[in-house]
DNA sequence: TTTGAAAAAGCTTTACA
DNA sequence: TGTAAAGCTTTTTCAAA
């Protein structure tokens, strides 16, 4: 219910930067009614507090030769072993995201690769690295990804 | 096997910007052995070609009051109806990503919200908006998300 | 925390190879 | 495509409130 430790101006800055990570301090200032150096300090503080964890370009995977995306759901083969899947899988570069989840499976991975053959190879490496069984769900269409979800209501018109 | 239409220098730039979307053209130039204005031109071209689709800040959802993430897997209730789930769901702001998938379900959504109660409310809105049944998988831990997967081998040491 | 001003750094264009 | 140089804008730091 409460939204801890982030006051409205900072939320606004976060929301703007989530949408355009290259927005200049000058423009952020205009959008928030602060001076350039005031926003600058706030952004640095947001970075220090780790509320902003980084900045990234959104890449068109389909067009750069990595058109195949899939979810790999993971189940440990031996539940008595220590569960360190995330660490064991970290070195595999095709894994974009790694979550542990509640439900029938223990982990979900989002992976990207060049072809079905590459996916088959990737699956083998995942199973071997973490001693798990896998269930793979191929992505057919990406309608959208990583839309900003900041819990902020956007600008009034004008 | 072939990686279409992106030559090595552009791949390098894409990879660097995926990791740091605020990197300056000067630094990109240093990293690629090009002049500032040469990289500048390349980046603009990459944006025009839509290989770079945008820039965003990575927000710490847990700390800004949106700590709950979940996957919602979707199955249409009436398979004879036209399948326009993505369009019907687009206005729901808690949906960060929307994929159609091969497998038992038709779509997977990644959503973020403030609390279990908010998730329950969100699920009701998803079902109502798209006339679907849902299966929800709650995220327990996010080990990492949105690691850059560019298919580029990174820098030599030095 | 904010501002305003000044210095440093970076961006963008132009002219040209 | 590329470079170099010039002019302009933004970033960053600082003293003061």
């Amino acid at each position: 219910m409460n939204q801890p430790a982030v006051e409205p101006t900072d939320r606004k800055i976060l929301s703007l930067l989530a949408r355009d990570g290259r927005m200049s301090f000058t423009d952020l200032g205009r959008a928030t009614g602060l001076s350039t150096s005031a926003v600058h300090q706030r952004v640095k503080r947001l970075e220090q507090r780790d509320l902003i964890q980084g900045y990234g370009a959104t890449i068109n995977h389909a067009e750069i030769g990595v058109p195949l995306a899939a979810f790999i759901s993971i189940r440990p083969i031996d539940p008595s072993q220590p569960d360190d899947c995330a660490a064991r899988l970290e070195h595999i570069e095709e894994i974009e995201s790694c979550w542990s989840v509640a439900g029938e499976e223990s982990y979900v991975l989002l992976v990207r690769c060049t072809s079905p053959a590459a996916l088959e190879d990737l699956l083998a490496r995942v199973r071997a690295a973490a001693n798990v069984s896998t269930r793979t769900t191929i992505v057919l269409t990406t309608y959208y990804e990583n839309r900003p979800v900041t819990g902020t209501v956007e600008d009034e018109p004008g």
Side-chain angles (χ1 to χ4, degrees), chain A:
Chain A
M1 196 87 262
N2 66 325
Q3 289 185 332
V6 191
E7 51 83 64
T9 305
D10 281 343
R11 294 194 84 80
K12 176 100 192 185
I13 291 171
L14 288 170
S15 173
L16 290 164
L17 283 174
R19 282 166 185 70
D20 178 5
R22 289 191 80 115
M23 200 168 168
S24 74
F25 296 117
T26 309
D27 286 346
L28 287 169
R30 277 194 267 269
T32 54
L34 287 176
S35 70
T36 302
S37 52
V39 229
H40 178 247
Q41 288 178 63
R42 276 173 181 265
V43 171
K44 292 304 160 199
R45 225 175 299 132
L46 289 168
E47 290 169 356
Q48 276 167 23
R49 289 205 271 156
D50 198 41
L51 298 187
I52 295 174
Q53 301 181 301
Y55 303 88
T58 304
I59 301 304
N60 190 333
H61 293 98
E63 295 297 320
I64 66 162
V66 198
L68 183 55
F71 291 97
I72 304 180
S73 302
I74 276 182
R75 209 183 286 237
I77 287 176
D78 180 355
S80 71
Q81 282 184 358
D83 181 358
D84 54 356
C85 287
R88 285 167 169 275
L89 295 170
E90 191 163 14
H91 69 280
I92 302 181
E93 302 207 329
E94 290 96 330
I95 304 177
E96 183 176 288
S97 304
C98 173
W99 302 272
S100 74
V101 296
E104 296 189 14
E105 279 112 356
S106 302
Y107 291 85
V108 171
L109 311 177
L110 175 56
V111 304
R112 299 193 188 274
C113 50
T114 57
S115 66
L119 179 57
E120 186 168 23
D121 178 73
L122 169 58
L123 281 166
R125 280 183 283 137
V126 167
R127 290 195 204 101
N131 190 225
V132 291
S133 66
T134 59
R135 177 175 68 90
T136 301
T137 305
I138 300 229
V139 171
L140 301 174
T141 302
T142 299
Y143 288 95
Y144 40 85
E145 275 177 336
N146 291 108
R147 291 202 307 191
V149 178
T150 56
T152 306
V153 177
E154 275 323 278
D155 353 54
E156 328 71 76

